Amino acid sequence: MLAMWVEQLLGYAAGALETIRDDEHYPALMAWARGEGARHVGGNLALAQALAPELWNQTPLERLDFDCEALALPGRNEPCWCDSGRKTKQCCGAVTLPGPIPPHLMWMLSLRDWKGDTLKAALDSGRAPAQALLEAGLIAAEGGQRGRAQQVLEALFGAGDWSRLPEQAEPAFELLTDIYQERGFHRKKAALLDAILERGPLFLRGVALERLCLMHLDSDDLASAREAFVRAQQTLPDSPTLAYIEAMLLLHEGHADEARERARFWFRRLARHGDLDPEQLQFLADLAENPGATLAEQMVNSEEALAEPLTSLQALLEALSGAPRLAFTHAADECLEYHTTAREDTLFAAWQAHFQALVDEEAALGFQEDPWPYAGDWLAALCAHPEWLDSPQVVQTVAMALASRFGSLPWMAESFFAPLAGRYERWLTQLEEEGGRFAWDDADNAILLRTGLALVVGMERGDRQRSRQLAERLLVLDDQDSLGLRELVLDQLLREGRDEEAVRLSDQAEPGDQGPLLGVLMGRVLALYRLERLDEARASLREVHELNMHAIAMMCAENPRPIPLALEIPEPGTKAEAWQYRALMRDQWAATRGALGWLAEQKRQLV
């Protein structure tokens, strides 16, 4: 019965609103109610008349700057406000409505219909009820109108009066931050998070801190992510989301065993509360059993359209074994060359007909266009033709595509990158057995080198040791370091506490005419400090200061303003380059006892 009433009410209200927009005067609405309006409520004239003044009273009028022209509620013995001429008690006062009328209904429907300047003026008026803004924004997003949803939800959260926000504002807040992320409005997203954290209601502050933590994880700023997580834990200590975020944070930090222990702690603690639904409780139980696999499964299933093909790809890669022989030749200068075979070219051509995206030959890793909008097609085709993976060109593009989407997520390494790495490492062994230098520009060598880089990136966070070992093998083959792997290997050696090896690697001269890299020099300073070779550390730090005058101050600052990073590598000597190094490695400096204090002292002396 209630469902029927809601359907009738929405139909009636939409028709009433259309009539009001044509005239914006009450008599026109009443004339409509006694005619067409009655048909919306099953021919019930009394109900149609009783509804009209109720809806009129909550309808915003453009001629009144979006205020309402409310009628006074008549007494029982006064003339009825429907203009029937009868007393209220004998007319609308005798009608019992089949269900409630939301007090914001006509505002919500108006916000759904208005466009352009009218919508902007209505939002700027500040008269729209918060619940109407909330519902209109969510409806617009569900209909694919992301721009309208952003405009409406900005009015909801930009009103300044946080007490107006309904308790259901959480999904709207998350939607707005998602829209900002999708549309590249990073400053707006940061400003919204700051506003919520500064003066927002408690229930939104916790969600904002969780979002902030995830944002820092996405940008590899682990120190800031840890700080945001601690604040979120203090704000909402019993939020089940904290278990999920802490597991992600610990996996990003390379602490898989601790992630499992903390997930078990959260499961025990939250299970005792007894207020979780069975689905939440099962997720926490799975997280406690195997955090990495649980997060990977959640990621695979997060997009309905890709869940099945990605699951099929996991199964295909898990069954992958062996590796066909590749064709290598020795050039006169003792360089080794890889040449694609006719079979490999045929397999790649069949694959490329579905994959379509072309590799950007001018970049170490990148495509000329994004392959993921039509991933359902090429994933399904690959699973139907696993023999395509006999071609290194196919493995290259698959590894690159996976790295572009999942390379920053440590829990995806085991599912996608490790099986591909197994096949690639067999090819690498074949290459090493042949002997000789393996230069990027020779023959088809770039295919194998680029594939190796994609796998190193894909496993860097989820399987640091295997990633480093693969990078070291590639460095031996390609002594010109065409892939820029030396800095990455150095960072991983520092994370493993292998400081002597880090110093030796940093001692190697840069290939060709390249200048020193900031990451290599800063890594050398940290390794020398740990080894208590302080004079050498100071000398290297002077080189850092000459190379990038912002780097030391950026590393020492407690809460520097984040520098938005473009997709390209930051220019040498810039604040962006200094921020990137801080985001990647400050956790290692902070974890080294006394290192940041020593660095701050050296900064004062250098200045």
Side-chain angles (χ1 to χ4, degrees):
M1 186 67 182
L2 184 59
M4 182 184 296
W5 163 243
V6 170
E7 184 178 349
Q8 286 184 338
L9 176 63
L10 287 175
Y12 182 98
L17 186 61
E18 187 177 346
T19 300
I20 293 171
R21 292 289 165 250
D22 287 341
D23 188 285
E24 286 207 348
H25 289 86
Y26 183 64
L29 173 63
M30 289 311 308
W32 172 88
R34 293 188 178 101
E36 185 180 340
R39 291 193 288 273
H40 283 283
V41 288
N44 189 333
L45 178 60
L47 178 58
Q49 290 185 157
L51 274 176
E54 296 280 359
L55 295 181
W56 170 266
N57 276 4
Q58 58 165 273
T59 302
L61 303 174
E62 290 183 57
R63 64 181 171 84
L64 297 180
D65 191 23
F66 305 99
D67 202 355
C68 301
E69 192 174 59
L71 305 169
L73 181 66
R76 283 174 49 78
N77 291 308
E78 294 178 342
C80 188
W81 59 0
C82 75
D83 284 344
S84 64
R86 291 178 293 172
K87 292 182 179 181
T88 297
K89 67 182 180 181
Q90 297 168 338
C91 191
C92 293
V95 176
T96 301
L97 299 180
I101 301 176
H104 60 279
L105 175 62
M106 298 301 275
W107 252 108
M108 185 274 290
L109 294 175
S110 298
L111 291 171
R112 186 190 65 179
D113 294 342
W114 278 325
K115 296 179 178 65
D117 292 339
T118 305
L119 176 61
K120 184 179 184 303
L123 295 173
D124 290 345
S125 73
R127 291 194 168 100
Q131 191 67 32
L133 292 167
L134 172 67
E135 293 179 14
L138 294 177
I139 290 170
E142 289 172 3
Q145 299 175 298
R146 309 293 273 185
R148 173 185 283 270
Q150 176 185 325
Q151 190 177 6
V152 173
L153 293 179
E154 282 177 340
L156 173 65
F157 291 104
D161 182 6
W162 298 101
S163 63
R164 298 175 63 221
L165 289 177
E167 283 289 330
Q168 305 91 341
E170 181 178 327
F173 166 72
E174 293 183 333
L175 173 62
L176 183 55
T177 56
D178 286 341
I179 291 174
Y180 282 153
Q181 184 67 30
E182 291 168 10
R183 309 185 84 197
F185 296 147
H186 302 301
R187 291 184 180 177
K188 283 192 170 187
K189 180 179 177 179
L192 175 62
L193 288 171
D194 288 344
I196 293 290
L197 291 174
E198 182 180 341
R199 58 187 187 277
L202 184 62
F203 75 95
L204 273 188
R205 241 178 290 164
V207 179
L209 284 165
E210 292 168 357
R211 283 276 166 155
L212 189 61
C213 183
L214 294 174
M215 189 170 72
H216 289 315
L217 285 177
D218 286 342
S219 61
D220 283 326
D221 187 356
L222 299 186
S224 298
R226 170 62 65 180
E227 179 185 338
F229 170 76
V230 171
R231 290 174 62 192
Q233 195 173 13
Q234 293 167 344
T235 305
L236 292 175
D238 296 321
S239 170
T241 310
L242 293 176
Y244 162 74
I245 292 179
E246 186 170 26
M248 288 197 299
L249 180 56
L250 288 167
L251 289 172
H252 270 281
E253 293 171 340
H255 306 311
D257 291 339
E258 189 177 349
R260 183 176 287 104
E261 287 301 317
R262 289 295 298 170
R264 288 172 180 166
F265 159 79
W266 282 108
F267 174 67
R268 290 193 299 268
R269 175 177 175 175
L270 296 173
R272 285 198 298 267
H273 286 203
D275 55 355
L276 298 180
D277 62 49
E279 189 174 332
Q280 284 181 309
L281 201 58
Q282 184 59 54
F283 176 76
L284 291 175
D286 294 341
L287 198 66
E289 181 66 26
N290 190 329
T294 302
L295 292 173
E297 182 181 1
Q298 183 194 52
M299 175 59 66
V300 166
N301 292 315
S302 62
E303 294 185 52
E304 187 176 342
L306 292 181
E308 186 175 339
L310 282 173
T311 301
S312 298
L313 179 63
Q314 280 182 295
L316 168 63
L317 296 179
E318 188 177 346
L320 202 62
S321 63
R325 295 291 305 180
L326 301 183
F328 297 108
T329 60
H330 289 271
D333 57 357
E334 296 186 355
C335 285
L336 199 60
E337 295 180 349
Y338 160 63
H339 296 269
T340 63
T341 64
R343 177 176 183 268
E344 291 166 6
D345 291 340
T346 301
L347 294 173
F348 178 67
W351 153 255
Q352 194 63 30
H354 295 273
F355 188 72
Q356 298 181 39
L358 299 174
V359 172
D360 184 354
E361 302 291 346
E362 300 300 317
L365 281 183
F367 294 104
Q368 293 181 12
E369 61 276 342
D370 184 6
W372 284 98
Y374 45 93
D377 178 32
W378 55 260
L379 283 169
L382 180 61
C383 292
H385 299 278
E387 70 277 6
W388 290 349
L389 291 171
D390 286 351
S391 164
Q393 284 177 281
V394 175
V395 174
Q396 170 192 239
T397 49
V398 171
M400 288 173 58
L402 292 172
S404 70
R405 194 173 186 89
F406 304 125
S408 63
L409 306 176
W411 45 90
M412 303 303 283
E414 185 64 27
S415 299
F416 291 117
F417 298 102
L420 285 173
R423 170 156 292 198
Y424 180 77
E425 286 161 347
R426 293 183 182 92
W427 285 334
L428 210 54
T429 299
Q430 295 175 24
L431 204 164
E432 291 164 340
E433 289 171 350
E434 294 286 342
R437 289 180 59 249
F438 197 68
W440 174 276
D441 294 322
D442 293 344
D444 297 317
N445 293 2
I447 294 172
L448 289 178
L449 291 173
R450 192 183 281 113
T451 305
L453 177 60
L455 293 170
V456 166
V457 169
M459 297 188 297
E460 182 185 359
R461 293 166 178 81
D463 193 342
R464 294 185 189 278
Q465 183 177 7
R466 191 171 185 181
S467 173
R468 177 181 52 75
Q469 290 170 348
L470 181 55
E472 288 174 339
R473 292 174 72 179
L474 289 167
L475 275 174
V476 171
L477 289 166
D478 176 21
D479 57 5
Q480 292 298 302
D481 192 16
S482 309
L483 305 175
L485 291 173
R486 192 154 70 103
E487 188 174 356
L488 183 147
V489 172
L490 181 63
D491 290 350
Q492 292 187 355
L493 289 172
L494 289 169
R495 290 184 180 280
E496 295 172 15
R498 298 165 63 178
D499 302 316
E500 292 281 5
E501 294 175 66
V503 171
R504 286 197 297 271
L505 183 61
S506 70
D507 281 338
Q508 296 177 12
E510 295 292 341
D513 58 354
Q514 293 181 15
L517 298 173
L518 176 63
V520 172
L521 281 179
M522 285 293 286
R524 176 179 173 79
V525 172
L526 180 58
L528 289 169
Y529 174 83
R530 289 175 174 178
L531 295 169
E532 299 184 7
R533 293 161 57 177
L534 299 184
D535 288 340
E536 295 174 77
R538 292 188 190 95
S540 293
L541 200 58
R542 283 192 289 273
E543 292 184 66
V544 168
H545 189 64
E546 292 172 5
L547 185 68
N548 188 315
M549 61 183 292
H550 310 288
I552 302 173
M554 186 70 78
M555 184 60 74
C556 292
E558 282 299 321
N559 292 295
R561 185 178 183 83
I563 308 294
L565 295 176
L567 295 177
E568 298 81 13
I569 297 173
E571 285 293 322
T574 62
K575 283 187 176 181
E577 183 190 39
W579 170 260
Q580 184 183 66
Y581 179 76
R582 172 196 166 92
L584 291 171
M585 291 299 290
R586 193 176 192 273
D587 63 313
Q588 289 302 299
W589 282 84
T592 303
R593 185 171 182 175
L596 287 176
W598 174 83
L599 194 62
E601 177 60 31
Q602 303 311 307
K603 177 180 72 104
R604 286 190 289 271
Q605 294 183 19
L606 282 169
V607 172

